[in-house]
Amino acid sequence: MKRFLLVFTLLAVVLSAGAAAADDKIVVRVAHTLAPDSHYHIGLENFGKLLDEASNGRIELEIFHSSQLGSERDAIEGVSMGTLEMTLVSSAPLANFTNGFLVFDLPFIIQDRFKTYEWMDGPEGQKILDSVLSKGMVALGIWENGFRMLTNSKKAVTKPEDLKGLKIRLMENPIHVSTFKTLGAYPVPIPFGELFTALQQGTVDGQENPLIIISTSKFAEVQKYLSLTGHFYAPAILLASKDFWDNTLDDGLRAIFIDAEKKARDWERNFCIEAEKELAASLEAEGMEVVEADKAAFFEAVQPVYKEFEDQVGKEAIQKLIDAQK
Ligand code: EAX
């Protein structure tokens, strides 16, 4: 009997130790607004795999796609308050929280994505990332959303005048809104999760997003014309809640996140570049009419936006980003 009790006690100890190890698992929720075959989602899946491997299964990344946890603004708020661990968002809606990222929103400021990657990954980019620390967030790095292209249901837009009177959905960002006002369009900020329906119902005539989003969000079903404008370049920022970063993770786990983020970031950027190569042709095959845009004319037309925002963004910050691409 004694022997039996001893075995039983040992077994109980072993079992409860096992339970403790299982409790030790850290589930990290990350939210984004895009489709499950998008660059964000596939990039995050890869990030999750890297975290899992490096932590021997201790870190589990749980990805919520398609605005399941709300808009980008909701997700940033959640991360900032500590009710959500992570999110991957365009930098544009961060304008509601900091001026740090505004420089990226200026039309046509980014021409050379490769030189910009170097700049973003260096000390200048780090200063920008650090601007969210006081908002309860840690920005881990800059991934890619991409060069934004214009679509609409009314007409082929090749020059600024063609935009007159078109209702265009934009992200919630003052520079984006001003750019489209300057071009003569009616800007309408709508969260991404409501965009397909807004296009379908004609609440807006058009929208602008990278080709990979136009494709994975099936906008060809509700938009006829695609103009290859590349008017904004959207970086994607991987944000973590500062509470989660400081209090749930320890030094070892933080190092794992930092290392996995760099690998996943580079992988995701390459994925975007590769995917993009085929996309104009495949959207054409889906029935869109694809036109080149007179970029020089658009560039000229949006110059007042630089004047309007140069104080808020900082002349020096603008010049640094331009010089980095020389
Ligand atoms: O960050 O809202 C948008 O148009 C963004 O490109 C999208 O949510 C990805």
Side-chain angles (χ1 to χ4, degrees), residues 33-34 40 72 89-90 145 148 169 171 192 209 213:
T33 57
L34 300 179
Y40 280 16
E72 293 199 326
V89 291
S90 279
N145 188 4
R148 302 178 77 88
R169 176 272 176 178
M171 290 190 280
F192 188 82
N209 253 302
I213 295 183

Side-chain angles (χ1 to χ4, degrees), residues 22-290:
D23 283 349
D24 220 6
K25 196 170 180 96
I26 299 172
V27 178
V28 183
R29 292 163 305 154
V30 58
H32 71 88
T33 57
L34 300 179
D37 56 346
S38 64
H39 49 325
Y40 280 16
H41 197 83
I42 295 174
L44 287 170
E45 279 178 342
N46 183 47
F47 181 50
K49 216 173 89 211
L50 292 167
L51 290 172
D52 174 72
E53 282 164 11
S55 69
N56 291 320
R58 212 176 144 203
I59 301 170
E60 184 190 326
L61 193 68
E62 196 182 351
I63 311 169
F64 293 87
H65 60 83
S66 309
S67 309
Q68 285 166 326
L69 298 187
S71 68
E72 293 199 326
R73 191 185 181 143
D74 295 333
I76 298 167
E77 263 162 16
V79 167
S80 161
M81 293 183 310
T83 55
L84 174 66
E85 289 80 41
M86 296 187 89
T87 187
L88 181 62
V89 291
S90 279
S91 65
L94 278 167
N96 291 306
F97 302 81
T98 165
N99 280 343
F101 293 86
L102 281 180
V103 70
F104 295 123
D105 296 315
L106 290 163
F108 299 105
I109 192 157
I110 293 173
Q111 304 284 337
D112 184 327
R113 58 160 40 121
F114 298 102
K115 287 187 177 154
T116 304
Y117 291 160
E118 263 177 56
W119 187 82
M120 293 190 298
D121 300 342
E124 293 298 331
Q126 192 56 48
K127 268 190 237 161
I128 294 177
L129 293 175
D130 288 346
S131 73
V132 300
L133 281 171
S134 63
K135 306 287 169 187
M137 297 184 277
V138 178
L140 292 182
I142 305 182
W143 294 26
E144 177 144 300
N145 188 4
F147 285 102
R148 302 178 77 88
M149 312 293 182
L150 183 75
T151 70
N152 82 95
S153 57
K154 298 281 184 204
K155 59 181 169 195
V157 173
T158 60
K159 48 190 189 310
E161 300 83 87
D162 300 330
L163 264 171
K164 287 249 145 48
L166 289 185
K167 278 183 267 166
I168 306 293
R169 176 272 176 178
L170 295 170
M171 290 190 280
E172 224 185 297
N173 178 281
I175 300 185
H176 289 202
V177 168
S178 167
T179 299
F180 276 78
K181 257 191 205 151
T182 303
L183 290 168
Y186 292 112
V188 188
I190 296 176
F192 188 82
E194 293 160 33
L195 178 52
F196 186 91
T197 309
L199 294 168
Q200 193 173 40
Q201 298 183 339
T203 316
V204 287
D205 303 312
Q207 65 86 42
E208 44 85 57
N209 253 302
L211 294 179
I212 197 159
I213 295 183
I214 296 171
S215 169
T216 55
S217 293
K218 312 233 178 313
F219 290 161
E221 289 176 12
V222 285
Q223 298 276 272
K224 174 74 186 159
Y225 302 99
L226 167 59
S227 310
L228 302 176
T229 47
H231 51 280
F232 301 133
Y233 172 83
I237 315 301
L238 186 65
L239 297 165
S241 140
K242 195 163 184 309
D243 177 39
F244 160 73
W245 187 256
D246 290 346
N247 302 321
T248 304
L249 301 181
D250 57 24
D251 283 341
L253 292 174
R254 278 190 287 269
I256 286 176
F257 267 82
I258 289 168
D259 182 57
E261 188 280 328
K262 286 196 174 63
K263 290 180 181 142
R265 172 199 72 196
D266 291 349
W267 189 92
E268 192 259 359
R269 286 175 180 165
N270 283 328
F271 177 86
C272 290
I273 292 165
E274 285 308 312
E276 214 172 64
K277 288 180 184 160
E278 315 290 331
L279 282 170
S282 75
L283 288 165
E284 196 155 39
E286 285 176 42
M288 292 191 98
E289 191 179 316
V290 183

